[in-house]
Amino acid sequence: MSKVKTTFFCQNCGTQYSKWQGQCSACKEWNTIVEEVVQKENKKDWKTTDSKISRTSKPLRVSEIDGSQEMRFNTDDNELNRVLGGGLVPGSLTLLGGEPGIGKSTLLLQISLKLPYKTLYVSGEESQKQIKMRAERITSKTDNCLILTETKTQNIFKQIETIEPDIVIIDSIQTLHSDYIESSPGSISQIRECTAELIKFAKETATPVLLIGHITKDGTIAGPKILEHMVDTVLQFEGDRNYVYRILRALKNRFGSTAELGIYEMQGSGLREVSNPSEILISKKDEELSGTSIAASIEGMRPFMIEVQALVSTAVYGTPQRSATGYNLKRLNMILAVLEKRAGFRLGAKDVFLNITGGISIDDPAIDLAVVTSILSSNEDVSIPSDYCFAAEIGLAGEIRPVTRVEQRIHEAEKLGFSTIFVSKYNKISLKNTQINIQLVAKIEDIAVHLFE
């Protein structure tokens, strides 16, 4: 009989301690160390039989390693493929996090129903009947997806040995528990142990595994921070409850870029891929209104047009308000200071409200010029033509700075029917035979003269 041992774990970073203390010495958080009962057993392999002896690896020179591109599993979802970097890598572990009810289970169930590969969908939160009801709403019948409701990892691996699936989906990692650890499901030791068993299975069998993870109230994935370090890819599924659009981002990706973005629309029949993000980010209106302008932005490798809205009004309470939704408030204050100091616009006694439409957040500095023009448009109460767009950064001296990949932004604006795009005169542009009018500007005054005089 193995001896039962009590240890202490930090709930924030997963550091283990032999006794309780108030502050974690690793992450410096207070009151995050909790006691857990851990039973040390002789662990068996994830397989129930020990007939096969695993082959030990030997060191190789870099020149001797096979550098051919690994075959990826096509998920039949262009948005997910883009974020993953081309598809699911064999033997990879992908963690998908997001708020409750945002659509994590719907996304992975929808993908598993469309996949041409044999997929095992393991749910520890819903019954098979509940999943069937959602599956019938999402798509037509399929025979490639198998549903298993189980939370014990040893039973899951027995079914995996019998079924031999090509892809395994776990919903969710916080519901699993292993016999090797004597603690409740969702605890730090259980999450770490179950994830380690899944990693061992994925690497030995080259089977991609997708995990759904809960998040805490501050937006981080529940469980120890080491969980994010153990997996290969961490995806974040986010969106506003008041909007039907969802955004998929990669926070960590060992097989591709973390700058890519996937956009979905939540419908009654599931999640629809949005191939043209500009259709949701530019509002439809019958008449031109002041305070709106269009920015040519890029997220990862994808260019799209964003509508920037600004409202400038006289401060009623004496102290002017500064508010930004989807945009960095400190950067907005910097731009207002530049307009005041360098361009001579008196905005110090006025309220300024800024909004990026569509409910998304943008960090691209190329939308600075669109922010400036929307603020000036609202201040002057003069509308900007709807077929004008902007792509430039604003410097502290009031100059209009060049941005990267400006030609790709110009092509996207031309494709969507814009007649004029304003960019920095310091951008090197080698485009020829373009239908769009490219206006080169050097200072904020050049824009003000062109639009408002």
Side-chain angles (χ1 to χ4, degrees):
M1 192 72 182
S2 58
K3 185 179 179 181
V4 177
K5 180 183 177 183
T6 300
T7 57
F8 295 85
F9 289 98
C10 173
Q11 291 179 302
N12 186 53
C13 65
T15 307
Q16 184 176 353
Y17 297 93
S18 59
K19 61 181 181 179
W20 185 88
Q21 59 189 51
Q23 185 186 34
C24 175
S25 56
C27 64
K28 307 302 180 185
E29 291 290 330
W30 288 91
N31 299 323
T32 58
I33 298 175
V34 295
E35 181 182 11
E36 291 187 9
V37 178
V38 180
Q39 183 176 3
K40 298 291 184 181
E41 290 187 3
N42 294 325
K43 286 188 184 180
K44 296 180 180 179
D45 202 329
W46 63 270
K47 298 181 179 179
T48 56
T49 60
D50 298 328
S51 58
K52 294 185 180 179
I53 300 174
S54 59
R55 184 176 59 184
T56 58
S57 60
K58 62 179 182 178
L60 295 174
R61 293 185 177 89
V62 175
S63 58
E64 296 174 344
I65 300 174
D66 183 15
S68 59
Q69 188 73 23
E70 275 201 73
M71 183 201 71
R72 293 186 182 231
F73 289 89
N74 181 12
T75 63
D76 200 24
D77 187 304
N78 294 328
E79 300 298 304
L80 181 60
N81 284 341
R82 178 187 291 109
V83 176
L84 290 173
L88 286 170
V89 176
S92 65
L93 215 74
T94 302
L95 177 63
L96 174 64
E99 294 181 0
I102 204 70
K104 304 183 296 296
S105 301
T106 302
L107 175 64
L108 292 190
L109 180 61
Q110 178 176 306
I111 291 168
S112 63
L113 293 173
K114 293 192 299 183
L115 284 173
Y117 315 103
K118 186 188 291 185
T119 306
L120 178 62
Y121 187 96
V122 182
S123 176
E125 298 180 341
E126 297 177 295
S127 66
Q128 290 177 326
K129 288 186 178 180
Q130 286 177 301
I131 298 173
K132 178 178 173 61
M133 290 170 59
R134 182 147 38 91
E136 289 178 342
R137 190 183 77 243
I138 290 174
T139 184
S140 59
K141 296 180 181 179
T142 178
D143 294 329
N144 292 325
C145 182
L146 302 171
I147 307 298
L148 173 66
T149 55
E150 182 60 63
T151 58
K152 186 176 177 181
T153 57
Q154 283 71 30
N155 294 340
I156 293 172
F157 287 132
K158 285 180 182 178
Q159 295 297 328
I160 287 175
E161 273 193 290
T162 304
I163 299 169
E164 295 183 352
D166 298 319
I167 297 174
V168 176
I169 297 174
I170 306 292
D171 182 12
S172 65
I173 186 62
Q174 279 82 9
T175 62
L176 298 190
H177 68 92
S178 173
D179 284 343
Y180 302 134
I181 300 292
E182 278 197 352
S183 58
S184 59
S187 61
I188 290 171
S189 54
Q190 280 287 7
I191 291 175
R192 182 160 48 185
E193 173 63 26
C194 295
T195 305
E197 291 180 16
L198 289 168
I199 289 175
K200 187 175 179 63
F201 156 73
K203 302 304 178 185
E204 289 183 358
T205 62
T207 303
V209 178
L210 290 92
L211 309 175
I212 291 179
H214 298 163
I215 67 169
T216 60
K217 61 182 179 181
D218 58 350
T220 59
I221 294 176
K225 195 68 178 175
I226 194 174
L227 175 63
E228 298 182 40
H229 296 291
M230 293 170 72
V231 301
D232 298 308
T233 306
V234 179
L235 304 180
Q236 183 79 11
F237 204 42
E238 57 191 42
D240 194 326
R241 290 282 184 97
N242 299 320
Y243 292 90
V244 295
Y245 302 107
R246 304 288 186 264
I247 296 172
L248 185 67
R249 300 179 188 269
L251 305 182
K252 170 191 175 183
N253 193 357
R254 288 176 178 163
F255 312 112
S257 171
T258 57
E260 292 297 341
L261 191 75
I263 300 180
Y264 297 87
E265 181 183 3
M266 179 64 81
Q267 297 180 339
S269 58
L271 291 160
R272 181 184 73 89
E273 303 172 40
V274 179
S275 57
N276 179 21
S278 302
E279 73 182 54
I280 67 170
L281 299 175
I282 300 178
S283 60
K284 308 294 187 295
K285 48 186 181 291
D286 296 330
E287 57 183 83
E288 294 182 354
L289 305 173
S290 63
T292 63
S293 62
I294 309 298
S297 180
I298 286 183
E299 189 82 19
M301 298 298 293
R302 164 185 278 189
F304 51 85
M305 315 305 285
I306 296 174
E307 181 175 334
V308 181
Q309 296 179 334
L311 176 63
V312 179
S313 62
T314 304
V316 178
Y317 301 107
T319 303
Q321 301 181 65
R322 303 285 188 260
S323 176
T325 303
Y327 189 72
N328 192 325
L329 182 58
K330 292 182 178 180
R331 194 163 186 86
L332 173 61
N333 290 328
M334 182 203 78
I335 289 177
L336 293 175
V338 171
L339 289 173
E340 183 92 18
K341 175 75 175 179
R342 302 295 185 183
F345 292 97
R346 303 302 175 197
L347 301 172
K350 294 186 177 181
D351 294 334
V352 179
F353 303 95
L354 190 75
N355 177 46
I356 306 296
T357 60
I360 68 171
S361 298
I362 296 294
D363 296 326
D364 187 4
I367 72 171
D368 285 355
L369 188 56
V371 171
V372 166
T373 53
S374 62
I375 291 172
L376 296 182
S377 171
S378 178
N379 186 52
E380 302 291 331
D381 200 20
V382 176
S383 62
I384 298 173
S386 58
D387 57 350
Y388 282 16
C389 62
F390 308 87
E393 182 183 355
I394 301 298
L396 290 179
E399 80 278 17
I400 297 178
R401 300 172 55 83
V403 293
T404 59
R405 294 160 60 189
V406 67
E407 294 183 357
Q408 192 174 352
R409 302 172 196 266
I410 294 173
H411 276 306
E412 180 70 10
E414 183 179 10
K415 184 176 73 174
L416 293 176
F418 288 87
S419 65
T420 305
I421 182 170
F422 291 83
V423 298
S424 171
K425 68 177 294 186
Y426 306 109
N427 266 119
K428 296 180 180 179
I429 302 173
S430 58
L431 293 177
K432 296 181 180 178
N433 301 323
T434 56
Q435 301 296 324
I436 190 170
N437 178 27
I438 302 173
Q439 287 285 341
L440 302 177
V441 287
K443 292 183 179 181
I444 296 176
E445 292 90 328
D446 300 342
I447 285 282
V449 169
H450 196 282
L451 294 178
F452 308 115
E453 290 187 5

